[in-house]
Amino acid sequence: MAVHPGMMIKPELDERGISQKQFAEMLGTQPSHLSEVLNGKRALTTELAMKIESTIGLPAKILLSAQTLYELESANSSNAEDKQHETVAVTIPVRDHGLLQEIVRRFGWACVF
């Protein structure tokens, strides 16, 4: 099951003790806009993903991949006859494998290294 990237970002903020309002200020965005992204009501844009990466280090590639998978699954779920799980290959730079392992652990994804 695909997860909206907001569900990946929220735990990071909690672990770091950063409020959504503080994070919005750090990113230079409106708190209401950030709240909608974090709660899955708005898509994560490339621009915001890049700001998040530069601010707290979550790789924009992983966040945007999650957004794309979430959108694809949401589109597919509207068609009840076409509910299948699929395997998606994602290439992650070696330096990001630790983060990928953490994401896999938190969200129960299957991963092959």
Side-chain angles (χ1 to χ4, degrees):
M1 184 165 106
V3 177
H4 189 280
M7 299 305 292
M8 298 164 65
I9 300 166
K10 276 179 148 182
E12 285 297 320
L13 297 180
D14 291 341
E15 285 186 24
R16 297 168 190 238
I18 301 171
S19 72
Q20 288 185 25
K21 183 177 180 182
Q22 290 171 322
F23 195 47
E25 289 174 10
M26 294 165 71
L27 297 172
T29 191
Q30 293 295 318
S32 59
H33 176 86
L34 179 63
S35 177
E36 289 176 352
V37 171
L38 296 180
N39 291 306
K41 296 179 181 178
R42 183 184 289 241
L44 177 70
T45 63
T46 303
E47 180 183 351
L48 187 56
M50 291 172 51
K51 287 180 180 181
I52 291 169
E53 179 176 39
S54 67
T55 304
I56 62 171
L58 285 175
K61 288 180 183 180
I62 291 175
L63 296 174
L64 292 170
S65 291
Q67 180 67 49
T68 300
L69 291 173
Y70 179 80
E71 290 172 5
L72 286 170
E73 189 168 296
S74 295
N76 283 335
S77 69
S78 64
N79 182 354
E81 294 178 24
D82 192 23
K83 287 189 176 183
Q84 299 177 24
H85 291 283
E86 62 181 282
T87 301
V88 178
V90 179
T91 303
I92 305 294
V94 174
R95 63 180 163 74
D96 294 333
H97 276 208
L99 177 60
L100 179 60
Q101 287 175 327
E102 178 64 17
I103 291 169
V104 166
R105 183 189 64 76
R106 284 189 188 181
F107 299 103
W109 295 352
C111 187
V112 177
F113 294 96

